[in-house]
């Protein structure tokens, strides 16, 4: 199927395997490329810049015709490794960068000079217009069915609105679990889709069997929003542990948040505790099950190889 996204990345199907913190890895993206789609990894999945460089070099070797690979950069101040990560990506080269949480201006400037395309996560028209003006190659429209930090508008409303108002292609992110969902997004004006949650339960994903199995056993009705991970609402599976700890910031956090000089520190501490809890839940055997996923796990019935998941999406 030919769309502006398949043309931009020279891929067979208009699908990006979305970047997922702690989940995405080289094995998943390699299989995504072999299956004729693009794959993306958060640069933050690598603790050091050398590990990031190794991953890029391996993906360059593994790249096949019909596939493409990219990395996700958090471009705001919370990512202290941002400058180094951008430098390594531009030195080594990759097909595309997805920016999230902040202004993509510097990334676009440097990535374009290195021949790398830049797609920007957006959740509304105002920011989408801004990234278009800055020179983004496509806007990723993160809707209210997405896993992780979701947007506020429905897939139809957001995709429709952005595709009418922008010149650059719109890629819809959120709520895609089968071929019918892709067809729907394309009918709303999208030129492609970015799919995350359905790939958590893949053989290649770098997380525990328990997390993968939870994506098989739970469904759309079990996804809730919690502020207990990063401080910003995020979608998680409503496990007994999540119910036990609650989804709202505690009274103490709320109280401290009201204090201007303490607010920044409370946020940073909450973020780091939350990230550690998610990392432990994703990577180790623990009863503290804080598993990030979106409602599109509704379509996940078995742990499968990436290739089988792609085939289910595109054929
Ligand atoms: C477990 C998980 C981790 C995620 N981590 C990131 C991330 O590090 N950076 C990012 O830009 N988006 C992240 N996302 C959002 C995805 O890139 C994508 O927008 C989303 O998965 C699309 O919705 P879907 O899950 O319904 O396919 C994450 C999503 C999930 C489910």
């Amino acid at each position: 199927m030919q769309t502006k996204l398949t043309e931009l990345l020279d891929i067979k199907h208009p699908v990006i395997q979305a970047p997922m913190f702690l989940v995405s890895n080289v094995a998943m993206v390699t299989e995504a490329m072999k299956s004729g789609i693009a794959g993306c990894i958060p640069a933050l999945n690598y603790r050091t810049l050398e590990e990031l460089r190794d991953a890029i070099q391996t993906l360059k070797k593994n790249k096949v015709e019909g596939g493409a690979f990219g990395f996700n950069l958090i471009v705001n101040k919370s990512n202290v490794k941002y400058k180094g990560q951008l430098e390594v990506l531009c030195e080594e080269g990759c097909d595309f960068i997805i920016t999230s949480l902040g202004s993509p201006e510097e990334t676009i400037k440097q990535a374009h000079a290195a021949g790398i395309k830049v797609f920007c996560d957006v959740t509304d028209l105002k920011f989408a217009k801004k990234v278009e003006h800055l020179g983004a190659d496509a806007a990723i429209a993160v809707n209210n069915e997405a896993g992780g930090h979701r947007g506020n508008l429905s897939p139809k409303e957001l995709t429709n609105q952005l595709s009418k108002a922008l010149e650059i292609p719109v890629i819809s992110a959120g709520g895609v679990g089968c071929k019918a969902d892709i067809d729907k997004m394309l009918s709303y004006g999208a030129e492609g889709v970015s799919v995350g949650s359905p790939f958590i339960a893949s053989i290649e994903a770098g997380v525990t069997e328990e997390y993968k199995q939870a994506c098989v056993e739970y469904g759309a009705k079990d996804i809730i929003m919690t502020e207990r991970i990063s401080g910003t609402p995020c979608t998680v599976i409503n496990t007994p542990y999540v119910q036990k700890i609650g989804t709202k910031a505690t009274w103490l956090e709320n109280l401290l948040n009201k204090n201007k000089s303490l607010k920044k520190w409370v946020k940073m501490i909450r973020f780091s505790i939350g990230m550690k809890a998610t990392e432990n839940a994703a990577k180790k055997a623990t009863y503290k099950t804080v598993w990030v996923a979106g409602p599109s796990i509704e379509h996940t019935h078995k742990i499968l190889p990436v290739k089988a998941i792609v085939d289910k999406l595109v054929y």
Side-chain angles (χ1 to χ4, degrees):
M1 184 190 294
Q2 289 292 302
T3 70
K4 285 184 188 153
L5 178 63
T6 61
E7 279 164 31
L8 261 178
L9 293 179
D10 205 7
I11 51 179
K12 203 165 157 202
H13 309 288
V15 180
I16 297 175
Q17 182 187 77
M20 290 185 284
F21 185 56
L22 303 168
V23 180
S24 312
N25 59 22
V26 165
M28 286 171 78
V29 173
T30 299
E31 289 308 305
M33 291 196 288
K34 285 193 204 157
S35 315
I37 67 168
C40 189
I41 306 176
L44 276 175
N45 278 9
Y46 300 96
R47 283 182 204 273
T48 66
L49 295 180
E50 273 326 295
E51 285 176 28
L52 174 63
R53 194 182 293 279
D54 284 350
I56 304 170
Q57 288 174 352
T58 309
L59 286 172
K60 282 200 280 193
K61 277 191 216 127
N62 294 355
K63 189 174 165 180
V64 289
E65 212 184 299
F69 71 94
F71 286 83
N72 165 234
L73 281 181
I74 305 280
V75 294
N76 73 5
K77 284 191 188 123
S78 72
N79 179 11
V80 289
K81 296 184 190 152
Y82 163 60
K83 277 197 178 144
Q85 289 167 341
L86 180 58
E87 206 174 288
V88 171
L89 288 173
C90 292
E91 273 169 22
E92 291 293 335
C94 61
D95 298 308
F96 64 101
I97 291 175
I98 295 179
T99 66
S100 42
L101 301 178
S103 170
E105 188 166 9
E106 191 55 36
T107 304
I108 292 173
K109 211 159 67 188
Q110 292 193 35
H112 279 177
I116 300 170
K117 304 205 165 63
V118 182
F119 305 157
C120 303
D121 275 358
V122 303
T123 54
D124 60 40
L125 181 58
K126 190 169 167 218
F127 193 61
K129 281 272 189 200
K130 181 178 168 180
V131 304
E132 179 172 68
H133 178 73
L134 291 172
D137 297 284
I140 302 195
V142 183
N143 61 50
N144 67 358
E145 289 185 23
H149 294 132
R150 67 182 198 189
N152 297 316
L153 299 177
S154 72
K156 184 175 184 182
E157 196 177 356
L158 185 62
T159 313
N160 251 326
Q161 211 184 79
L162 298 195
S163 59
K164 280 188 190 130
L166 300 182
E167 299 287 325
I168 55 174
V170 173
I171 299 158
S172 186
V176 171
C178 61
K179 170 122 187 1
D181 291 333
I182 298 187
D183 293 342
K184 221 163 46 184
M185 299 305 171
L186 297 185
S187 78
Y188 299 153
E191 294 288 340
V193 293
S194 180
V195 182
S197 301
F199 287 102
I200 301 171
S202 64
I203 300 217
E204 294 85 354
V207 294
T208 59
E209 289 302 301
E210 287 77 9
Y211 186 0
K212 295 179 190 183
Q213 198 54 37
C215 291
V216 171
E217 283 163 18
Y218 288 88
K221 67 175 188 335
D222 303 305
I223 301 301
I224 56 159
M225 299 292 282
T226 181
E227 295 170 2
R228 297 302 302 276
I229 296 183
S230 62
T232 312
C234 179
T235 63
V236 291
I237 299 177
N238 192 14
T239 58
Y241 181 71
V242 165
Q243 288 161 27
K244 188 175 146 209
I245 61 172
T247 54
K248 294 278 171 238
T250 63
W251 65 269
L252 183 61
E253 282 164 1
N254 283 332
L255 187 71
L256 294 171
N257 266 328
K258 287 192 182 125
N259 182 314
K260 263 197 178 159
S261 52
L262 286 178
K263 198 173 164 179
K264 186 176 146 200
W265 298 105
V266 177
K267 263 197 161 169
M268 275 172 60
I269 293 165
R270 156 64 33 230
F271 187 79
S272 112
I273 295 173
M275 284 302 133
K276 195 73 215 158
T278 338
E279 183 170 356
N280 287 342
K283 302 280 185 186
K284 294 180 188 165
T286 168
Y287 72 94
K288 295 181 176 176
T289 48
V290 187
W291 289 317
V292 178
S296 53
I297 57 166
E298 181 70 24
H299 298 268
T300 300
H301 304 302
K302 205 174 168 197
I303 301 172
L304 292 169
V306 163
K307 176 149 192 344
I309 300 172
V310 175
D311 285 353
K312 235 174 69 179
L313 284 169
V314 298
Y315 294 118

